[in-house]
Amino acid sequence: MSKSMLNMYISFAGIIFMFLSIGLIMLSRHKLKGILSGITAFLAYIFMILAGLIIFYIVFSGPTS
């Protein structure tokens, strides 16, 4: 597998993590209460941080040939 295809799949993972974090944050704020809301929000922010790191890596790794 080429480096550019690997970067594409890694960026897809970052995009999926972003959507998961948005959904989990909305779920924790509007539907859940108590400790379950806190756990869900914590997971959402972990996904958001991971997505940010992945996107940061992809953008600053530069173009591939």
Side-chain angles (χ1 to χ4, degrees), residues 14-37:
I15 292 167
I16 290 169
F17 283 171
M18 285 281 191
F19 280 119
L20 273 174
S21 66
I22 291 168
L24 287 174
I25 288 172
M26 290 179 63
L27 180 71
S28 72
R29 288 187 180 178
H30 298 293
K31 299 290 183 186
L32 301 176
K33 293 186 190 271
I35 190 74
L36 195 58
S37 174

Side-chain angles (χ1 to χ4, degrees), residues 5 7-8 10-11 16 26 29-32 34 36 38-39 42 45 49 55 58-59 62 65:
M5 286 297 288
N7 279 351
M8 181 187 74
I10 292 171
S11 68
I16 290 169
M26 290 179 63
R29 288 187 180 178
H30 298 293
K31 299 290 183 186
L32 301 176
L36 195 58
I39 293 170
F42 178 73
Y45 287 115
I49 290 168
I55 299 301
I58 294 298
V59 168
S65 58

Side-chain angles (χ1 to χ4, degrees), residues 36-54:
L36 195 58
S37 174
I39 293 170
T40 307
F42 178 73
L43 285 174
Y45 287 115
I46 293 296
F47 278 131
M48 184 71 76
I49 290 168
L50 285 174
L53 290 173
I54 288 171

